[in-house]
Structures are given as C-alpha cells and as structure tokens.
Amino acid sequence: MAQATFHFPRGFLWGAATASHQVEGNNKNNQWWAWENEPGRILQGHRSGLACDWWGGRWREDFDRAAEGGHNAHRLSVEWSRIQPAPDRWDENALDRYREMIRGLIERGMTPMVSLHHYSDPLWLTERGGWENEAVVSAFEKFVRHVVEALREYVSLWVTINEPNGYAAQGYVTGSMPPGQNNIRLGTQVMINLLRGHAAAYHAIHQIQPQARVGLAINCTSLLPARPWFPLDTLLSKILTRHLVEFFPNTVRDGVARTLLGKRRVPEAKNTQDFLGVNYYTRRHVAFDLREIKTLFARQFFPAGADLSYTGFLANDPQGMFDTLKWGVQFKIPIIITENGVEDPDDRLRPRYLVQHIHQVWRAVNFNYPIKGFFHWTLVDNFEWERGWTQRFGLWELDPETQARRKRPSADLFAEICKENGISSEMVARYAPEVFQKLFPN
Ligand code: FCB
C-alpha cells in the first residue's frame, strides 16, 4: 500500500480543550453547582463533585498525559467564582494556582489558550441578575483586567466568552441550562450583554497586552433545511443560523446587532475579534413544526442513517466541519477550531470521527483558509453539564468515583497526528480502516 500523508502547516496548534467547572471539582460558589443541586436538572441526578480533581492537583498528571500525547497547546478556562468569590474580594491564592497550572503547560511545551468565561458565573453575580443585568458588563471587564494583569507574562491567546450563543440559547430558549428560562426577550437582552461584555474585555485585554490575540468561541452547530424544497424549512434554517451561529461573529465585525427583536448599534463591539473560534461538533436538520412552540417552531433532528454517537447526541458529519470553515473565511481573520469531539465511551466511533474531521480541516487548509489550530474536546472524560457523566468525550476514560484514568485508543491516534503534524494513510489503516477508502480513494 502506497504511503500518503496529509500534512499541516508548521506551527499548527494541536491540543485538547477543557473548562473549569467541568474539570476542577468542588466549584461550589457558582450557579452551576446550585443548579446541580436542584432535583431533575441533571440527567440521572449526576453532580460535578470532584470532576477530574484538577483543583486537587490532578492537572499535573493530566498535563503529563497531554504532553506525552504530543499536544503543543491546551485550552482551559479560569473560574470567575474562585478568583472573585465576592464582589469586593479577590482570591490571590486562586490566581496563584492558575499561574502554576499555566506555567505547568508551558514547562511541558504547550501553548496556553485561556477562556475567561465558560458557562459558569459566580453566585453573587447570579443574585444580581447575571447576564440579564447590564451591570455585568463592567463587572466582567473588572474581572478580566484582574486576570489578564495576573497572567499576562504567560498567556497571550484569549477566548473572552465560550459559546455566548449556547449560553443564551440553552439558558433562555430551551431552558436546559441555568437559569432555565423560555423567554426570547430576556435571551436577547442576555445576548446583547454578552456581546458588550466581550467588547469591554477585548479592549481591556488589548490595553494591557497590545500583542494579545482575542476572540470568541462560537457554537457552530449548523442547520440544514430538512426539506430543501419547502420554503418554511429553508426560511427557518436561515433565521436560526443567522441568530444563533452568525449573530456574534457578524456583530463583532459590524458593530450592529441584528436580533430577533430588531436592530441595535453596539459600536464598541466593532472589530473586536482577532480570530474566529469555531466549536464544531455536528450538523442537524431542521423542519418547521407547529408543535415546537418553545423553540420557534423548529424541530431539529439527524437524518435517517446518520452515524450517531453513543447517546444519539451528535452525528458524525465531517462535511459540516468543512462548510463551517468555509463560512468562517468571510471574516478575514485567522480561524482556530476551539472544540471538536464526540461522546463515545467505548471509542468505537471516535477514531473515525477524529480522522474524518481533521481530514476536512486539512482540506480547508489546502484552500488556504487561515486555520491555525485544532483543540479536541476533551482530554479526560468530564462533567458534561445537564447531561452529567452520561456522555464521555475524553481521549482518556475517567472513573469519577476512583479518579482512575484509562487511555482510549483515540489518545494514541491523536498523539500520532500531533507528532506527525498530519494524518498518514498508515494511521487511518490502523485506527479507522472503515473510512480508509473515503480518505484515500484507490
Ligand atoms: C460545548 C461546550 C463544552 C462541552 C462540549 C461537549 O458546547 O462548550 O463545554 O460541553 O460542548
């Protein structure tokens, strides 16, 4: 068999992505901990508990795993509720801990990418109305200044807010995440405040660190009309894409927010992205359905025959990755894939999911799309929000009771990709022979 390798550009970032609440454990001072303690909020009554026990120090062994796995970068988030446990109190020990962790990445040869907000809010902020209250904009800016001053010597790659679109949609439309609302008006207000919080953070970071690269990570679940010949499906998929996926990137380009409730100028947000962060997992079909009142008459589903993940949460749709990157090119800024991965406890689907998605990234690179890095979600199984521990996204398996880790074959596959800076036909033949013909036809 002839050998072929799909190579990536030199300096391409390869790593895993994580988030504070999902890995640290004992994050008792944020709204998620409170939410987990309300009956019926989390599948099977699961709790984050110790999570991956990073706050207890297990980040060291996990960073060793990442480094041995050839990762040259890692994306993590800092927890607002730890750093600022009360409006008038900063916990310098918590900041020291983050400094130590980030130094730990650098010492192991990994470039840190730090998210300043990843779904979790301090309880004191929630009590003041959270992101519904515009006071959050200056509160977030204050927090960001404090963190960036403390970490500036180690970090220059920042995500201000992870999935502001997911935060608003799940917290205020579907209600599956805190505060569990179904209220488009409030959701729109939250989107505007997230946008303004991002803009304030962007300017603050650049003031402190002119060379910083700052962006948002957007949930890019794309939507296709279920019946392309049916105008209502087409219209609905357009409206949802515009208001969910495209809202933040468009607004931080133009400074004009086009919400479901009308247009609003937000001039301070104009030109506040140095890169586009893409979280791409899957693509869904959307059909107009009068019964779906809560979700704007949109029924979302995977087409028959889709290559579904373990719980049916995602479908393996690598073409969607390519199409998303192609869409991202219009912003004329570098693109970083800030998340991509699949829930798969037995690692049956993950190897092919990985190579097929990275292959599409490679294709995009060959169209000269400015793609600079790829972060796999995630390193070690972690607490998956309202789905608790029912979904396993790790390259490494975790038993949250014993904290034991076990390597999945995908960890080795991803290590080979990172070390080779590419995918070879030989890797695909070994780890995902079922898609060999698709990637290397004849
Ligand atoms: C993304 C979130 C991340 C993780 C993955 C599976 O939407 O940003 O925290 O839960 O989904």
Side-chain angles (χ1 to χ4, degrees):
M1 180 193 311
Q3 287 268 350
T5 305
F6 300 141
H7 277 296
F8 281 74
R10 207 175 306 152
F12 197 81
L13 296 177
W14 293 105
T18 56
S20 55
H21 189 73
Q22 295 178 273
V23 296
E24 288 177 355
N26 283 327
N27 261 319
K28 297 184 175 171
N29 196 20
N30 69 27
Q31 97 283 29
W32 264 96
W33 188 275
W35 184 255
E36 290 164 33
N37 279 290
E38 289 179 24
R41 295 302 195 187
I42 313 291
L43 270 185
Q44 301 181 16
H46 287 169
R47 308 269 167 96
S48 55
L50 257 193
C52 309
D53 196 24
W54 278 21
W55 208 250
R58 287 188 210 260
W59 59 267
R60 289 189 185 81
E61 51 172 289
D62 287 342
F63 287 3
D64 286 344
R65 292 186 173 95
E68 280 157 25
H71 304 197
N72 62 17
H74 183 82
R75 174 176 172 230
L76 55 74
S77 78
V78 291
E79 176 65 30
W80 189 353
S81 65
R82 285 195 193 277
I83 295 171
Q84 193 179 5
D88 53 357
R89 202 154 64 77
W90 300 96
D91 185 342
E92 297 304 325
N93 291 332
L95 269 171
D96 281 345
R97 188 82 66 95
Y98 285 119
R99 261 196 295 266
E100 197 190 344
M101 286 169 71
I102 289 165
R103 258 201 324 267
L105 286 174
I106 295 168
E107 283 161 11
R108 289 169 177 80
M110 292 181 275
T111 299
M113 177 184 229
V114 172
S115 313
L116 293 153
H117 186 276
H118 194 128
Y119 286 177
S120 52
D121 296 317
L123 272 179
W124 60 260
L125 186 85
T126 307
E127 280 155 17
R128 296 172 172 201
W131 289 88
E132 294 164 34
N133 180 347
E134 67 176 352
V136 68
V137 176
S138 58
F140 184 59
E141 180 187 341
K142 209 163 130 196
F143 163 69
V144 167
R145 282 186 186 278
H146 204 89
V147 173
V148 175
E149 289 287 3
L151 303 181
R152 59 189 292 185
E153 57 174 308
Y154 303 120
V155 183
S156 59
L157 193 52
W158 304 94
V159 171
T160 54
I161 301 177
N162 175 73
E163 297 196 357
N165 55 338
Y167 181 96
Q170 286 152 282
Y172 292 88
V173 182
T174 65
S176 57
M177 288 190 170
Q181 299 266 358
N182 308 110
N183 184 327
I184 303 266
R185 189 191 55 78
L186 267 186
T188 305
Q189 193 173 313
V190 165
M191 303 251 286
I192 296 288
N193 288 335
L194 286 161
L195 175 73
R196 294 183 52 211
H198 157 79
Y202 180 93
H203 295 300
I205 300 171
H206 274 287
Q207 206 179 49
I208 299 169
Q209 217 188 21
Q211 84 286 12
R213 285 166 297 159
V214 186
L216 287 156
I218 302 298
N219 181 306
C220 294
T221 303
S222 47
L223 296 169
L224 296 175
R227 298 156 292 185
W229 44 265
F230 186 49
L232 281 176
D233 286 4
T234 321
L235 185 69
L236 203 53
S237 79
K238 270 206 190 115
I239 293 177
L240 289 176
T241 303
R242 178 67 52 87
H243 290 96
L244 286 175
V245 179
E246 298 178 350
F247 175 82
F248 285 95
N250 283 345
T251 310
V252 296
R253 175 187 57 195
D254 307 336
V256 180
R258 292 178 183 82
T259 76
L260 278 171
L261 306 180
K263 206 157 109 175
R264 176 163 164 185
R265 298 184 62 78
V266 190
E268 71 271 28
K270 190 170 175 171
N271 290 329
T272 57
Q273 55 182 353
D274 303 325
F275 65 86
L276 176 71
V278 165
N279 291 0
Y280 174 80
Y281 287 90
T282 197
R283 184 152 70 166
R284 294 203 192 93
H285 281 197
V286 59
F288 178 77
D289 187 333
L290 277 171
R291 289 165 302 186
E292 303 282 339
I293 300 170
K294 267 195 192 172
T295 53
L296 305 168
F297 305 111
R299 187 164 52 84
Q300 296 190 17
F301 57 95
F302 296 116
D307 187 14
L308 293 182
S309 65
Y310 186 71
T311 69
F313 183 64
L314 301 172
N316 175 25
D317 189 341
Q319 181 64 38
M321 170 68 94
F322 183 84
D323 294 347
T324 299
L325 296 172
K326 187 172 176 185
W327 157 80
V329 170
Q330 65 178 298
F331 299 102
K332 299 195 172 65
I333 48 176
I335 300 174
I336 299 177
I337 293 131
T338 33
E339 289 178 28
N340 171 253
V342 66
E343 45 109 13
D344 186 22
D346 305 324
D347 215 41
R348 289 205 190 116
L349 165 59
R350 191 177 288 103
R352 75 170 167 274
Y353 182 100
L354 256 174
V355 296
Q356 287 186 280
H357 283 77
I358 294 174
H359 170 237
Q360 293 298 333
V361 178
W362 174 83
R363 278 188 62 219
V365 165
N366 281 280
F367 280 91
N368 285 328
Y369 299 173
I371 303 163
K372 304 298 175 196
F374 176 94
F375 291 86
H376 177 75
W377 187 273
T378 184
L379 184 58
V380 177
D381 288 342
N382 63 26
F383 179 73
E384 280 298 338
W385 309 114
E386 81 285 5
R387 291 150 277 129
W389 295 96
T390 63
Q391 295 188 351
R392 303 307 184 108
F393 277 85
L395 294 171
W396 288 72
E397 180 185 324
L398 171 76
D399 178 344
E401 298 295 320
T402 63
Q403 286 295 319
R405 274 92 166 137
R406 213 178 59 184
K407 190 159 57 163
R408 295 195 169 103
S410 287
D412 286 330
L413 164 61
F414 191 57
E416 291 191 31
I417 294 173
C418 297
K419 289 175 188 170
E420 178 69 42
N421 196 26
I423 311 178
S424 72
S425 51
E426 191 270 330
M427 288 174 206
V428 177
R430 228 162 356 104
Y431 289 97
E434 70 278 19
V435 294
F436 189 89
Q437 274 302 321
K438 280 190 179 154
L439 267 64
F440 300 96
N442 300 317

